[in-house]
Amino acid sequence: MRSPDPDLESRLLAVLPLARGFDRERLLSRLGQVGGRRSEAVLAPIVERTVKAPSSERATALQGLAQLRGADGLAAYRTALGDRDLFVQMLALGMLRLHDPTGVAAGDAEAWVRRRMQGRQDRKIWDFGELPLAVGYFTSVGRLEPLARVLVARDADLLPVERRVLERMWPLEERHRCARGEPTGAPDLTGLGDLGHSHEYYVDVECETRGLPPLRWPTPSPDRDAEWLREAELEDEAILARLERRLRRV
């Protein structure tokens, strides 16, 4: 989490009413990185849907608000779990995994899983990361039994790729034991990020399923990540400067 930058925050807030589309999303994201109370006052209503905004902005605002509030943003994350957009819901579950160690939102998360499992085979919109994120959250709060009961009861509704990934993370036999309240090992959360697993993880699962040797993936580079961040900041500054020129002409 970065330190607040009141001057940059003021510049961002001044031009935000002029921004549209991608430009507006970038400014909202930047507010989450450098803002303070004034930025929270802009981001929170978007997440809470008291201000009309497209789903892409709600997702960006949620990420920004999480950077500003951390564990103090539980109410907003729980609200976002009921968003209309699946990506926003998954972001919210990821935030709860990070910031809800005592399971305050466990009931909300269980209800969300139950909703997502209903008619799953017929759903047009679903995501690979939904159930792995749920496993990650319930593992983090130490309450796996409610999730195990749902997954065992709805096992026939799992999609094929979900079945393979879950078997790798948390074998069906272990889920059955957990659902019965018996002692069981913890799920394997290796590679689970804020939005689920990477594409590489799923390729590895397929290779394992087909008996193929695992692929060799490039080693993550901190230097490459730092370069990407610098490029993003330069792009944000260019957007800000362009909007400031527009603001002076108004």
Side-chain angles (χ1 to χ4, degrees):
M1 189 177 296
R2 301 187 183 187
S3 300
D5 185 336
D7 292 336
L8 179 54
E9 181 184 38
S10 294
R11 292 175 62 199
L12 292 165
L13 291 172
V15 301
L16 188 62
L18 299 178
R20 298 291 184 272
F22 176 78
D23 288 355
R24 183 173 174 83
E25 290 171 31
R26 289 305 311 161
L27 297 186
L28 291 172
S29 176
R30 203 82 171 102
L31 285 173
Q33 296 169 3
V34 304
R37 293 294 183 185
R38 291 181 297 164
S39 295
E40 285 189 38
V42 171
L43 298 173
I46 297 174
V47 173
E48 295 162 358
R49 303 197 303 280
T50 57
V51 170
K52 188 175 181 180
S55 60
S56 57
E57 285 187 21
R58 298 199 303 274
T60 302
L62 175 59
Q63 291 172 299
L65 195 63
Q67 288 181 289
L68 293 174
R69 288 185 176 175
D72 293 330
L74 283 183
Y77 313 148
R78 293 173 75 177
T79 296
L81 197 60
D83 194 277
R84 296 185 301 273
D85 185 82
L86 177 58
F87 181 67
V88 177
Q89 296 169 24
M90 292 173 60
L91 277 175
L93 191 56
M95 301 306 174
L96 289 170
R97 179 188 169 205
L98 290 174
H99 301 299
D100 182 25
T102 60
V104 172
D108 302 288
E110 182 182 349
W112 180 82
V113 174
R114 289 185 183 279
R115 287 197 305 272
R116 295 304 303 166
M117 289 302 296
Q118 289 176 0
R120 191 155 186 81
Q121 294 280 353
D122 299 322
R123 283 188 179 274
K124 295 181 179 179
I125 298 176
W126 61 278
D127 192 280
F128 292 119
E130 293 176 63
L131 299 182
L133 279 174
V135 173
Y137 171 75
F138 282 97
T139 300
S140 72
V141 302
R143 300 186 191 178
L144 281 165
E145 189 174 332
L147 177 63
R149 288 197 299 266
V150 175
L151 294 179
V152 167
R154 291 283 186 173
D155 183 69
D157 296 321
L158 290 173
L159 299 166
V161 67
E162 293 177 321
R163 189 178 302 281
R164 292 194 290 273
V165 169
L166 280 177
E167 188 62 25
R168 195 187 209 204
M169 291 182 70
W170 196 19
L172 180 59
E173 182 180 346
E174 294 287 299
R175 278 173 263 155
H176 274 282
R177 290 176 59 194
C178 185
R180 293 193 297 266
E182 299 173 6
T184 181
D188 181 1
L189 303 185
T190 302
L192 185 65
D194 294 346
L195 273 175
H197 292 105
S198 65
H199 294 297
E200 291 86 349
Y201 182 92
Y202 287 96
V203 173
D204 288 344
V205 170
E206 287 301 310
C207 287
E208 185 178 285
T209 302
R210 297 169 187 268
L212 299 173
L215 299 181
R216 293 184 178 180
W217 301 105
T219 303
S221 168
D223 291 339
R224 191 182 301 118
D225 293 342
E227 182 180 354
W228 182 86
L229 286 174
R230 286 193 296 271
E231 291 175 355
E233 288 178 358
L234 289 173
E235 185 176 6
D236 292 345
E237 182 60 36
I239 292 171
L240 180 56
R242 172 163 47 79
L243 291 171
E244 286 177 328
R245 289 194 295 272
R246 280 184 56 195
L247 186 62
R248 287 194 291 269
R249 293 197 297 269
V250 173

